[in-house]
Amino acid sequence: QVQLVESGGGLVQAGGSLRLSCVASGILFRIYAMAWYRQAPGKQRELVAAITSGGSTNYADSVKGRFWISRDNAKNTVYLQMNSLNAEDTGIYYCNAGSDRYRYWGQGTQVTVSS
């Protein structure tokens, strides 16, 4: 059974930082591309950051220079370090694992930034 379990969300003041974690089980983690998406109230889910199995990364323009995605294959974990948070970063953050054939989602973790 595949599970992606996110943690690290919470309430933070504007300008603050959070680090999200996503622990994967039931998959061969090292071959999967991993990503973080978010969904703000009333908006569609959007890609925030992604990291390939080889470690290449890409980011949404809105988070470049503030967020960093990383992975630890030994721990089956992907991280999202979020700095200089603002109210527009509020939303539910979802972990995603993708391969050529499969795609899995976590249940999400709430991030709320107060201004």
Side-chain angles (χ1 to χ4, degrees):
Q1 181 181 359
V2 177
Q3 282 192 311
L4 301 177
V5 180
E6 302 100 332
S7 62
L11 175 64
V12 63
Q13 288 189 333
S17 298
L18 284 174
R19 188 175 84 150
L20 305 184
S21 300
C22 170
V23 180
S25 60
I27 60 172
L28 188 56
F29 181 81
R30 61 178 174 83
I31 71 169
Y32 277 75
M34 301 298 298
W36 288 96
Y37 287 74
R38 70 185 177 193
Q39 187 163 18
K43 296 186 177 181
Q44 289 188 326
R45 192 174 298 189
E46 63 174 354
L47 176 68
V48 175
I51 184 166
T52 68
S53 58
S56 298
T57 59
N58 69 283
Y59 298 90
D61 287 343
S62 60
V63 307
K64 282 180 181 177
R66 300 188 298 122
F67 289 14
W68 282 267
I69 188 171
S70 60
R71 65 190 295 160
D72 185 337
N73 290 343
K75 295 182 178 180
N76 284 9
T77 302
V78 61
Y79 304 98
L80 185 68
Q81 176 67 43
M82 306 187 294
N83 299 330
S84 302
L85 286 160
N86 58 59
E88 288 70 40
D89 296 318
T90 293
I92 302 174
Y93 283 69
Y94 297 93
C95 179
N96 174 273
S99 70
D100 290 344
R101 299 183 63 183
Y102 304 105
R103 182 175 291 272
Y104 304 102
W105 292 92
Q107 291 299 306
T109 185
Q110 176 71 45
V111 172
T112 303
V113 183
S114 62
S115 55

